[in-house]
Structure formats: structure tokens, C-alpha cells
Amino acid sequence: MKNLELARIFNEIADMLEIKGESPFRIQAYRRGARAMEALSEDIEEIFRRGELRNIPGVGESLAEKIAEYLKTGRMTYFEELRASLPPGVVTLMQVPEVGPKTALLLYEKLGITTIEELEKACKEGKVRTLPRMGAKTEENILKGIELLRRTKERLPLGVVLPHAQEIVDILGRLKQVHEISLAGSIRRMKETIGDIDILVTSDEPDVVMDTFTTLPRVSRVLSKGTTRSSVVLDVGIQADVRVVEPESFGAALQYFTGSKEHNIRLRERAVRKGLKINEYGVFLVKNEKRIAGRTEEEVYASLGLPWIPPEIREDQGEIDLAEKGKLPTLIQLSDVKGDLHIHTKWSDGADSVEEIAKAAKDRGYEYICITDHSQSLKFAGGVPIDELREHARIVRRLSDKLGIAILIGSEVDILPDGSLDYPDEVLKELDVVVASVHSRFRMSEEEMTKRIIKAMENPHVDILGHPTGRLLGQRDAYQVNIEEIIEAARRTQTVLEINATPERLDLKDTHARMAKEHGVKLAINTDAHSRHQLRYMAFGVGTARRGWIEPKDVVNTLPLNDLLDFLHNR
Ligand code: DGT
Ligand code: CA
Ligand code: CA
Ligand code: ZN
């Protein structure tokens, strides 16, 4: 899909217009356009083909023309002209998350900096602080930004990569020459970010498979092509490898290429102790090289005296010992989830009405959802004033009866800088579910931030702490917060901690979710959907939960409605 490419281009146009001091009105139009592209769940090319670009909220005539030009020709003249009119270094510097257009221009004009490397050097040498309104703190922030940029250039969020990977598996899987096919590597383990996509296939005509693979529409570059292995780069900027293996080795190859490397090393040690050799071709007796397993993964694990271990927990975090004792957890599955407790609608910054969301949720088989629009002071996100919130509660009750799915009314209430909440207790008390989240003043000291959040958790009306660490993968690190103290406070106040399933968040992350579970803290897996299409993010949240060893009983939104309501009332 070209959606994210267009979002990036519009954002870059807005940045460039800002440098040129153009009218804020035009700049906003491009920012809005970028957000509109990001929010789309449908392929922009589909919308274009139906002639419905202008129906996208936030896309006016001028943007629609530019989108059309880009989709037809792969270029956008206006964008290219703007770029050509700026010193190239300035555009480069703006890639750093901490460097806005004004700063970039200043760095370029006053210090002659044109590359990220030069910027890094200037920060380390204390030259940036000599510029107006900049100090040692700015330099520190820029250096952190450069580090983040480098880290994320290499890896992409699971939520971005998985749909593309699944598309490849679907297309290749439909070939009659393909007998078995599976994802492997980190994507099969549902890791939060992915370095490259690994796919395994069995086939008696590898040439056909590789021809199809290397000519897929999303392939932007073929790195290598052979009968047992081919590698390409996809247009989203990630490498994908397909390997063709022998049927009698498929299980062994799947086990080996799923990893993790650490898990594999542990498994190999175990094999050696048993007089066995394990590799991507199978499990063999050392004494006579006889193959004893390899056809399926189950067979491979069984040959080592182990039950099959779910990919998500193959991280050498104690899983092999527990498997041996038959004590692996029964991990939560997508089908265990009975509802979604954090959803936005048009009433704040969401794209769809309650009715549209509720219908989509019902189609997913949910028993209930909770509408949690933003609270009053979050003006930029359309925060809901108190009188409107009461009106919403009435509307929701009526719709609930009409549509045959329980619609709860809640709020994602802002945790203000002093730890108080953005609605008074009388209002919070009337709501079914209160999700409390931090959306402002991220740069507090760890002590202040931890105190702020714990104070909010101590309010008895707060049911769930939303996206507890505030991280945005590839964009913003978690704020400084003491997660051990938050978990302890959650235990004491019986506050539920959220695993926010939005691809950039996955917050709590896997290891923190496991820590919470071990302290007896309950979790909720919520999508924070801003449109009905984003309800599908639930799969990423469940993946993260599974990586955190989470079982259905740890998650409140696996409860049937009545049990959930009991839990909320009695906690
Ligand atoms: P990624 O791509 O960085 O997100 O992470 P992975 O885990 O997909 O890593 P990748 O693509 O380099 O390799 C896929 C799997 O192959 C990896 O999870 C385990 C296996 N593997 C790769 N190199 C080694 C190795 O040197 N030793 C062992 N035991 N396994 C390896
Ligand atoms: Ca990989
Ligand atoms: Ca790989
Ligand atoms: Zn939200």
C-alpha cells in the first residue's frame, strides 16, 4: 500500500513549507492530509480507482490531485520542486526526531551542517549550544534522536510488516507448486519489531515459486535469486527471504529458522547431552548419523523429550525447563478475547460513529465494547465536555439494545501533570470503564512521572491504566517511569494495566506484561482503535501478551460481560 508513503511525503511537504515560512493554513492542510493517509485502513489505490479520493476526510481538491499524480506516475512534481528549492542538508537533518524545520535551517546556516554524522559530531563537541535558544540539553536530545533514527532505520514495527508478509504467504500458498508454507523468524514469534521476513516452503518446482516471489508487485529490488533461496526488498523497506526445503526437513527448518537464536542454542545443548545432533535438516543420532526427526516441528521437539513450544515464547526465558516439566502456560489466543475496552469514535478524534464501530465489533464476534473518547481538556483530540458525555451515555444505551452487542460507556481520561484526572469524581463514578492515560508533559523526572501516574491509579474510579509507558516505536521512547513501582501500585489498588495493541505502541511490552502477571496484576488487551478497521490490531496485542506468557485468566476482557461487570464493581 502507498498509504504510508503518501503520509511521509505530505509530512515532509509540511516541514518544508514551515521552513519557507508559508501560511500556517497550508501547512496544516498537509499535516491533516498525512494523518488522513495514516488513518486509512483501505489501500489508497482502491479508493483512487473508485474515484473517491475526495471523500476522504482531510483530503481537499489540491491534495487529491497530488495523490492521483503520485499513484499514476510514481512522482509528485510539487514535492520534488519544493525539495529542489531547499538546501539538501536541511531535509536530511529533519529526519532526526528532535530536529524541526527551524532548527534544521539554523544548523545549516550557522554551522554548515548537512549530514547526520556532522550533526552528531557538532553535538558531541558542544557546538550546537552556541546557537540561540539552544543548550546542553538540546544537544543531548538531538543525540538521543539520532540514536533512535539509526535503531529504527533497521527494523520496522510488526504491525506494519505482518500484513505484507501474510500477503506473500497467501499468494505463494495458492500456487499449486507449493505444498507447505510458513512464516518463520521473528515475525512468527510476533516480536514487536522485525529485521527481515523469513518464509519457508516445500515445493517440487522451486523455479515457479521463485519466479512468482521475485516478481511480486511489492518487490522493489531483487537481491538474489536461486532455487533454494531468494531475497528481495519490499517497497515498505524490508527484506524478505524465501527458502525452499525438503519435505522431510520442513519441521527442522521451521524450528531452526523460527529461532530465536538463543532458544536454538539452548536446544542444541540439550541435543548434545542426549547424543543427538540438531540442525536445519533434522535431528540425528551422533553415533550413526541416522535421522530420527525432521518432518514436523512436533516431531523435532518430541525427539528431544519436549512438547511443542509456542513460537512467541522461544526466547530462552525458562521455556525449555518448564516444557520438560510439562508446565508451559496455556497462552491466550485471539479467540479468547470477548471485547475491546478502549475505542475512539467521532465524538473525539476517531473516524467512525459508535454505530459503525459496534457493528464491526459484533462482526468480529465480540460480546461487548467500551467507547472511551478523550476527556475534556484534550482539545487537540476533540475532548468531550461533561454535558456531552452524559448525552453519549444515553445514546450508547439505546444503541446497545438496538444492535445486540453490549456497548459500555467509558472515557480515556487524561492524567493531568499533577496526577489528578480530567473529569471530577462525580462524573467518573457514572462511567462503566475509566481508562486513565498520560498524553502531555512527557518529560518529567522518573520520580515525578511515577508519582503522577500512581496518584491517578489511587483514584478508585480508575479501572485501567492506558498505554502505561507512552512509548511510540520508532518515534518516541517511553517516558521516564519506574515500571516496578507502577506494577506494585497496580497490585495494591487493583488497577488493570493495558496492553495497548496499536502497532506503534504495544505498551505494556512483552517483558513488562510478564512482570505484571507474576505480581498478580490483571491486564486488558485493547486496540485504542480510531476507526472500525483498527479493531484488527487486537491480533498484535494478543501476540505481545503471548510473548509475555499471558494466559486467558490474566486478561479481564476474556471475561463474559456479567463477570467483567462484577469484576469492575468489586475491585
Ligand atoms: P530479525 O529478522 O532480526 O527480526 O530476527 P530473526 O529472529 O528473524 O533473525 P534472522 O532473520 O537473522 O534469522 C532467523 C532465525 O534463524 C533466527 O531466529 C534463528 C536462526 N538463526 C539465524 N542465525 C543463527 C545462528 O547463528 N545460530 C542459530 N542457532 N540460529 C540462527
Ligand atoms: Ca527475520
Ligand atoms: Ca532472515
Ligand atoms: Zn486512546
Side-chain angles (χ1 to χ4, degrees):
M1 293 203 285
K2 301 259 164 64
N3 306 21
L4 293 181
E5 272 167 53
L6 279 161
R8 190 183 45 78
I9 291 173
F10 286 152
N11 266 327
E12 211 167 296
I13 291 179
D15 288 342
M16 292 189 284
L17 292 174
E18 229 171 300
I19 289 186
K20 299 179 91 110
E22 297 273 345
S23 97
F25 185 74
R26 281 184 65 199
I27 297 169
Q28 258 326 99
Y30 283 100
R31 295 248 185 260
R32 212 175 317 118
R35 279 201 306 273
M37 294 303 110
E38 282 167 2
L40 286 178
S41 52
E42 204 190 346
D43 193 334
I44 184 81
E45 294 189 73
E46 290 295 326
I47 304 176
F48 173 58
R49 228 169 296 168
R50 291 199 306 272
E52 291 177 354
L53 288 179
R54 290 291 306 276
N55 295 357
I56 304 172
V59 174
E61 190 178 331
S62 144
L63 260 66
E65 271 172 21
K66 294 188 175 72
I67 295 171
E69 183 198 3
Y70 188 71
L71 294 181
K72 274 190 280 191
T73 67
R75 304 178 55 177
M76 198 186 289
T77 322
Y78 178 66
F79 174 62
E80 288 175 9
E81 283 169 4
L82 260 181
R83 272 207 135 173
S85 75
L86 286 181
V90 172
V91 182
T92 309
L93 297 184
M94 284 184 336
Q95 289 174 31
V96 181
E98 291 294 328
V99 177
K102 298 214 177 68
T103 310
L105 195 62
L106 206 61
L107 290 166
Y108 171 76
E109 285 180 342
K110 298 279 192 254
L111 299 176
I113 297 174
T114 57
T115 66
I116 308 278
E117 289 68 33
E118 286 167 10
L119 178 59
E120 185 176 25
K121 189 154 169 275
C123 284
K124 287 190 173 150
E125 288 171 353
K127 287 186 180 149
V128 173
R129 71 183 71 173
T130 62
L131 298 174
R133 287 187 309 284
M134 297 199 196
K137 192 78 200 160
T138 326
E139 290 173 345
E140 213 178 283
N141 286 334
I142 292 178
L143 286 174
K144 274 194 202 146
I146 291 175
E147 200 191 307
L148 186 67
L149 179 71
R150 291 206 174 122
R151 238 190 294 141
T152 52
K153 272 245 157 111
E154 299 155 12
R155 307 184 67 83
L156 289 178
L158 173 70
V160 172
V161 181
L162 191 55
H164 295 285
Q166 262 157 0
E167 190 184 14
I168 298 176
V169 169
D170 288 346
I171 295 174
L172 297 183
R174 278 198 296 271
L175 295 175
K176 65 174 191 299
Q177 291 87 353
V178 167
H179 303 309
E180 286 155 298
I181 183 162
S182 177
L183 289 173
S186 53
I187 202 163
R188 183 165 179 240
R189 303 198 313 279
M190 298 290 273
K191 224 179 141 171
E192 62 191 30
T193 62
I194 305 299
D196 69 9
I197 302 171
D198 301 284
I199 298 172
L200 295 181
V201 165
T202 58
S203 168
D204 34 29
E205 283 181 75
D207 292 338
V208 180
V209 180
M210 294 313 196
D211 284 345
T212 311
F213 173 57
T214 53
T215 56
L216 289 171
R218 297 203 183 291
V219 168
S220 58
R221 202 146 51 93
V222 178
L223 299 173
S224 66
K225 187 179 172 195
T227 50
T228 57
R229 179 181 170 178
S230 299
S231 297
V232 305
V233 178
L234 302 180
D235 56 7
V236 276
I238 194 162
Q239 184 176 329
D241 299 343
V242 166
R243 291 185 176 83
V244 178
V245 303
E246 296 299 327
E248 68 268 22
S249 295
F250 186 69
L254 189 53
Q255 196 291 314
Y256 180 87
F257 289 108
T258 295
S260 68
K261 192 171 163 185
E262 292 72 19
H263 174 89
N264 288 356
I265 289 169
R266 196 64 70 199
L267 218 53
R268 191 156 44 208
E269 288 169 4
R270 190 181 168 86
V272 170
R273 282 200 304 273
K274 291 180 178 292
L276 300 171
K277 185 178 96 180
I278 180 171
N279 56 32
E280 66 258 54
Y281 305 106
V283 183
F284 304 87
L285 293 176
V286 170
K287 55 175 193 249
N288 57 8
E289 297 271 306
K290 185 173 171 275
R291 175 201 299 270
I292 61 164
R295 182 75 196 78
T296 65
E297 258 191 348
E298 283 77 1
E299 200 181 281
V300 169
Y301 280 102
S303 72
L304 299 169
L306 297 171
W308 182 81
I309 299 175
E312 294 91 337
I313 59 169
R314 297 183 193 170
E315 297 289 348
D316 187 26
Q317 295 296 318
E319 71 278 9
I320 294 178
D321 284 346
L322 281 188
E324 174 163 42
K325 296 187 189 118
K327 288 200 178 138
L328 283 180
T330 309
L331 302 180
I332 185 171
Q333 298 181 352
L334 192 54
S335 56
D336 292 319
V337 174
K338 297 210 167 56
D340 194 333
L341 301 176
H342 182 167
I343 294 176
H344 297 271
T345 71
K346 277 185 184 160
W347 284 334
S348 63
D349 57 352
D352 293 329
S353 68
V354 176
E355 182 153 2
E356 288 166 316
I357 292 271
K359 281 183 176 153
K362 198 180 169 193
D363 289 344
R364 289 182 65 87
Y366 286 162
E367 204 179 320
Y368 51 83
I369 52 170
C370 185
I371 302 300
T372 54
D373 277 303
H374 290 291
S375 58
Q376 51 189 358
S377 71
L378 220 60
K379 293 276 176 347
F380 66 85
V384 179
I386 292 172
D387 50 334
E388 283 182 26
L389 183 61
R390 295 208 162 106
E391 175 59 18
H392 293 169
R394 280 189 289 276
I395 298 174
V396 154
R397 309 258 183 257
R398 276 201 304 274
L399 270 176
S400 207
D401 292 339
K402 180 178 143 196
L403 298 176
I405 172 169
I407 312 173
L408 307 178
I409 184 75
S411 169
E412 179 175 23
V413 61
D414 223 43
I415 301 176
L416 301 173
D418 67 355
S420 63
L421 297 167
D422 193 25
Y423 288 130
D425 283 354
E426 312 78 274
V427 173
L428 297 179
K429 176 171 93 198
E430 292 170 29
L431 298 168
D432 297 318
V433 178
V434 174
V435 179
S437 314
V438 168
H439 290 114
S440 60
R441 287 286 308 279
F442 298 117
R443 284 192 195 168
M444 288 182 157
S445 70
E446 178 176 315
E447 200 187 336
E448 269 181 302
M449 186 59 95
T450 307
K451 253 173 72 186
R452 171 185 182 185
I453 294 174
I454 291 177
K455 184 171 167 207
M457 293 165 81
E458 282 169 347
N459 182 316
H461 302 298
V462 169
D463 302 299
I464 300 176
L465 177 64
H467 42 77
T469 76
R471 73 164 177 182
L472 292 177
L473 286 168
Q475 298 164 50
R476 185 175 79 207
D477 280 334
Y479 32 71
Q480 304 283 319
V481 68
N482 185 323
I483 194 72
E484 283 89 357
E485 284 182 34
I486 297 290
I487 288 173
E488 171 52 25
R491 190 196 56 74
R492 177 166 52 83
T493 60
Q494 294 189 44
T495 308
V496 175
L497 297 182
E498 180 177 74
I499 295 179
N500 188 299
T502 294
E504 298 78 42
R505 292 198 184 269
L506 299 180
D507 176 15
L508 292 178
K509 64 176 176 186
D510 46 14
T511 50
H512 289 162
R514 187 170 175 193
M515 206 191 284
K517 173 204 169 100
E518 281 166 359
H519 287 77
V521 169
K522 295 284 182 221
L523 301 164
I525 310 175
N526 296 328
T527 61
D528 199 353
H530 283 67
S531 84
R532 62 190 186 283
H533 305 291
Q534 293 178 352
L535 293 175
R536 69 182 169 83
Y537 291 169
M538 188 58 79
F540 310 130
V542 170
T544 298
R546 288 171 65 85
R547 290 181 57 80
W549 296 52
I550 301 303
E551 301 177 85
K553 65 176 164 56
D554 303 317
V555 176
V556 295
N557 51 322
T558 63
L559 293 171
L561 179 63
N562 285 332
D563 294 355
L564 174 73
L565 294 177
D566 280 351
F567 169 82
L568 291 169
H569 291 147
N570 298 332
R571 54 167 287 275

